[in-house]
Amino acid sequence: MSSLLTIKGYNMGVRYPLDLDVVTIGRAPECVIQLLDDNVSRLHAEIRRTRLAFTIVDRNSRNGVFVNGKRVSEKLLRRNDEITIGSTHFLFDSDFDLKNTIFSNKSVYMSAPDDDTVYRTLDRDRLHALDEAQRGTLRLLDRISNLLGAESIHLPSVIEAILASVAEVVGARHAVVMLWDPAARELVPLAAHGPESQLALNRTIVQQVFHERRAILASDVHVDLRYAENPSPAARAASVLCVPVGTDSHCNGVLYVDSEQADRFSLRDVATLGSVGRLVFLAIQVSHLHDRYEAVAPVPPQAIGKSAAFRAVREQAARVAGHNTPVLITGETGTGKELLAREIHALSPRRSGPFVALNCSAIPETLFESELFGYEKGAFTGATQMTRGKIEVASGGMLFLDEIGEMSLAVQPKLLRFLQNQVFYRVGGTRPIPSDVRIIAATNSDLRQLVELKRFRADLMYRLNVIELHLPSLRERRDDIPLLVEYFLKKFASEINRPAKSISKEALTRLMEHDWPGNIRELANCIERAVLLSDRPMLDVADFAAYLAMGRRTRPQPAPSPDRETHPDLSTPTTTLADMERAHILAALERNNWNQLKTAEELGIHRNTLRNKIQEFGLQRKDA
């Protein structure tokens, strides 16, 4: 779809779709594109569509319409034409990709998807004023920026690609990067480009540039062939240019080029290669930092399990990881939904970006919008400085929204609008902010049931639930319990600096028979407590008495109807911990006349946690 991208002025960064036959532009509220600018007439201009062509027409405006700097009354638009109306500048059908855009108060910096786009969007008069050498310099710097912007940098191959571009632009026969080797205490070649396998350099020039950190341009110099595969007598080079690889205060090596043509290089080439030398230094530093990070960075956590049901979920997760499609992870509490989300992130092209998690049930409703979208200074009492929200922080990576079913109805349409446009506003802000983030949501509730109860928007559910991954409960994957027990035994023993404990077959059998309504989280708590309290090297049934004394638990029962007695008989041997927790919460609610805030304070839990428990146990007031 054709569009207008605002690159300067009112609503900078916003892309307006041209999806109507006539799109009006002006100051009046009824205009499709409204510009609140005194220099803009109420109906300033129209963009008319005829099949695939678009024409801009001046509607007798006071200050006129300009296309590429020239005033027009009517003009057929071409891709990347710049339209100026008042103080607002648009690009028609711009090739610029906003996913890497950085906005400030006064300017917008955009990245283009291919080399040629940069030059097509330059002002035509300025473009014609550039000579071929200047255009070559622009192409060279653009190629280098693309190489350095890769997800990972393999140093020799990246430097070889840079040298090939350097040789093409400046017309060099050979190009080489030499780096200082502390062990050998000399400069050694890192990468080279040239027609022969031999490497010919003037050692005096190389040493002088390295030690003085200043470029040298020379003609008719001797070169040393000692780096050649088959050394031969010294030869001569008509032109040599050598620049430091480093900064004004530090030098790692040199960039050296030569040519058989006399006076081949100019002072312009010195400036160009000086910039390339600093970029090569940056590439070296980034590569070294990446190597050190890989050496110490923890391996992303992986979900543990070999059961067929669990393997199927992980296989589905691996298939969707490479796409930006929203994912909804469902499953009971404690089944490892966030861990699966992190695994998707680790397998995705966004793995180098941030993974930001936000629990929708843990934040009060009044603070949730500012937590998600951020806020401007002065937006409310206590907003003493601009603060970025989770959506903005997660740009370039992944945002995990846990317990999405607990999100306030007031915030849901704002999240939906962001998912549709990838643009949001901070609380108290008027400037649209783009964020390239992938959303993964999780819930232990039935969103369709929440939609029927008018507690969740249907359009948001459909937007989030493009791909649904359902994590089975632990009782549905009992074969995975031995693996999980072994993992937690080692993990908790390591945390308290004790030898890892083993577990008896009888105890493991009893753990596998248990239903674990709290799933993996409950199993982890059970193992941690046993590891901390037991002095025996092998854990036995007695070490899990708190969980196993009542025998195998029954699966969670559906919520009772309102007319049924909600107090369980605690004297029966089949009473479970869940039954006792339910009775304890219900008694506290009744003591406080169902005041949730007072009840939460009495129980020592957050009000959102209490609300979740009321929903989980199906608690209802008798007189409701």
Side-chain angles (χ1 to χ4, degrees):
M1 180 186 297
S2 294
S3 64
L4 291 184
L5 172 65
T6 313
I7 62 171
K8 184 180 179 183
Y10 185 74
N11 271 356
M12 180 173 61
V14 173
R15 191 185 294 273
Y16 295 97
L18 301 178
D19 51 358
L20 301 174
D21 290 336
V22 178
V23 174
T24 54
I25 305 173
R27 198 175 70 252
E30 57 267 24
C31 290
V32 176
I33 301 177
Q34 185 186 15
L35 303 178
L36 301 181
D37 184 346
D38 291 338
N39 294 318
V40 175
S41 302
R42 289 185 58 80
L43 178 56
H44 199 105
E46 290 179 348
I47 295 181
R48 300 171 182 172
R49 179 176 62 183
T50 306
R51 294 185 179 179
L52 299 179
F54 290 83
T55 303
I56 188 165
V57 179
D58 188 342
R59 291 297 306 271
N60 299 319
S61 64
R62 184 174 70 254
N63 294 316
V65 175
F66 296 82
V67 178
N68 299 323
K70 296 181 180 180
R71 185 164 183 167
V72 300
S73 58
E74 183 173 335
K75 186 180 186 305
L76 182 68
L77 294 175
R78 300 180 182 276
R79 183 178 293 274
N80 293 312
D81 275 348
E82 183 174 344
I83 302 168
T84 304
I85 296 178
S87 59
T88 303
H89 295 236
F90 303 97
L91 284 182
F92 171 74
D93 263 7
S94 167
D95 289 316
F96 283 119
D97 185 355
L98 286 180
K99 70 179 182 180
N100 293 322
T101 305
I102 301 173
F103 295 89
S104 70
N105 291 331
K106 297 182 179 179
S107 58
V108 55
Y109 306 85
M110 293 177 286
S111 61
D114 57 67
D115 297 348
D116 293 334
T117 306
V118 177
Y119 314 113
R120 288 203 305 270
T121 57
L122 290 173
D123 182 82
R124 288 177 174 80
D125 294 333
R126 293 180 59 192
L127 181 58
H128 292 319
L130 296 179
D131 58 27
E132 185 56 33
Q134 290 171 321
R135 296 189 190 190
T137 299
L138 286 175
R139 288 194 297 271
L140 171 62
L141 296 178
D142 188 62
R143 291 172 189 172
I144 294 175
S145 67
N146 289 335
L147 289 169
L148 299 186
E151 288 186 9
S152 61
I153 295 179
H154 180 251
L155 196 56
S157 59
V158 167
I159 302 302
E160 287 174 6
I162 291 175
L163 293 178
S165 295
V166 166
E168 176 189 345
V169 169
V170 302
R173 177 182 58 176
H174 297 105
V176 60
V177 167
M178 307 282 292
L179 289 186
W180 177 255
D181 185 344
R185 300 189 62 81
E186 65 174 347
L187 289 162
V188 297
L190 170 64
H193 172 82
E196 301 99 11
S197 59
Q198 60 188 18
L199 181 58
L201 301 173
N202 182 290
R203 286 189 292 173
T204 302
I205 291 178
V206 168
Q207 294 292 335
Q208 186 174 348
V209 170
F210 177 72
H211 290 294
E212 296 182 4
R213 298 197 295 273
R214 290 189 297 181
I216 291 180
L217 174 59
S219 298
D220 193 25
V221 298
H222 289 277
V223 293
D224 184 1
L225 301 179
R226 73 185 185 95
Y227 295 108
E229 293 179 358
N230 299 303
S232 59
R236 303 183 72 84
S239 299
V240 168
L241 174 55
C242 188
V243 299
V245 170
T247 63
D248 293 337
S249 59
H250 185 76
C251 186
N252 268 20
V254 299
L255 168 58
Y256 181 102
V257 298
D258 69 14
S259 174
E260 296 175 326
Q261 180 182 343
D263 300 322
R264 180 65 184 86
F265 308 120
S266 67
L267 293 179
R268 176 187 290 170
D269 296 321
V270 175
T272 299
L273 263 66
S275 298
V276 173
R278 287 188 286 273
L279 291 173
V280 169
F281 173 79
L282 175 63
I284 294 169
Q285 297 302 105
V286 170
S287 177
H288 290 170
L289 286 173
H290 179 75
D291 291 343
R292 288 198 291 270
Y293 173 79
E294 288 294 317
V296 301
V299 176
Q302 289 189 335
I304 299 173
K306 64 178 182 179
S307 61
F310 190 61
R311 286 203 313 271
V313 175
R314 290 190 67 188
E315 289 172 1
Q316 292 174 351
R319 283 198 295 270
V320 303
H323 307 280
N324 282 328
T325 308
V327 175
L328 178 66
I329 304 176
T330 60
E332 296 179 9
T333 298
T335 49
K337 295 186 284 294
E338 181 173 347
L339 197 60
L340 183 63
R342 289 184 180 275
E343 190 165 330
I344 293 173
H345 177 64
L347 294 172
S348 76
R350 296 173 174 265
R351 55 186 171 272
S352 58
F355 179 93
V356 178
L358 179 63
N359 190 321
C360 299
S361 66
I363 302 172
E365 180 179 333
T366 54
L367 301 179
F368 190 85
E369 183 178 354
S370 59
E371 185 74 17
L372 186 62
F373 299 109
Y375 54 86
E376 298 287 353
K377 180 179 179 180
F380 49 81
T381 303
T384 57
Q385 62 182 6
M386 186 278 290
T387 300
R388 298 193 304 163
K390 293 294 190 291
I391 283 181
E392 192 171 356
V393 171
S395 184
M398 192 173 291
L399 176 62
F400 175 63
L401 296 174
D402 199 8
E403 303 299 347
I404 190 70
E406 301 300 319
M407 179 177 287
S408 164
L409 278 171
V411 180
Q412 289 180 26
K414 298 178 181 179
L415 175 62
L416 177 63
R417 186 164 58 248
F418 168 75
L419 290 172
Q420 292 171 338
N421 303 324
Q422 293 291 295
V423 173
F424 69 96
Y425 294 83
R426 299 192 189 106
V427 176
T430 58
R431 180 171 61 88
I433 303 171
S435 181
D436 174 28
V437 62
R438 181 182 185 182
I439 301 291
I440 292 186
T443 181
N444 61 358
S445 306
D446 186 343
L447 290 188
R448 292 175 178 82
Q449 184 178 7
L450 294 180
V451 169
E452 293 176 1
L453 296 173
K454 307 297 183 183
R455 290 172 50 190
F456 203 85
R457 293 177 61 102
D459 47 4
L460 179 58
M461 180 192 70
Y462 295 131
R463 192 76 183 185
L464 294 170
N465 192 15
V466 178
I467 300 292
E468 180 177 345
L469 301 177
H470 180 73
L471 274 172
S473 64
L474 194 53
R475 62 182 172 274
E476 295 173 299
R477 40 180 291 217
R478 296 182 189 275
D479 291 345
D480 293 334
I481 291 179
L483 292 175
L484 291 165
V485 169
E486 181 182 2
Y487 169 77
F488 288 130
L489 286 174
K490 293 179 180 178
K491 176 179 182 292
F492 295 127
S494 174
E495 288 179 359
I496 62 176
N497 198 23
R498 291 184 185 176
K501 297 179 182 292
S502 58
I503 185 171
S504 68
K505 291 184 179 180
E506 183 181 357
L508 185 58
T509 300
R510 296 291 296 275
L511 292 178
M512 292 180 67
E513 292 174 348
H514 198 62
D515 270 348
W516 302 107
N519 293 290
I520 299 174
R521 187 179 296 120
E522 184 183 6
L523 175 63
N525 293 341
C526 173
I527 300 298
E528 183 177 16
R529 182 162 61 178
V531 170
L532 285 172
L533 299 181
S534 177
D535 294 327
R536 295 187 295 272
M538 177 179 287
L539 300 178
D540 205 349
V541 175
D543 295 304
F544 305 101
Y547 278 90
L548 302 177
M550 293 180 292
R552 181 174 174 177
R553 294 183 183 177
T554 57
R555 299 187 180 185
Q557 299 298 315
S561 60
D563 57 340
R564 288 183 56 187
E565 176 60 45
T566 55
H567 292 281
D569 182 4
L570 302 183
S571 63
T572 63
T574 58
T575 300
T576 67
L577 288 178
D579 293 331
M580 291 191 290
E581 182 183 14
R582 181 176 182 277
H584 184 58
I585 292 175
L586 179 59
L589 284 166
E590 292 180 349
R591 281 196 302 271
N592 292 284
N593 196 28
W594 280 79
N595 185 310
Q596 294 187 20
L597 181 60
K598 291 182 179 180
T599 303
E601 291 177 351
E602 177 184 324
L603 295 173
I605 60 178
H606 195 278
R607 184 171 58 178
N608 289 336
T609 304
L610 175 61
R611 187 167 62 245
N612 291 340
K613 290 294 183 181
I614 293 173
Q615 178 186 345
E616 178 184 346
F617 292 128
L619 300 179
Q620 295 186 11
R621 199 169 184 171
K622 289 183 178 181
D623 54 354

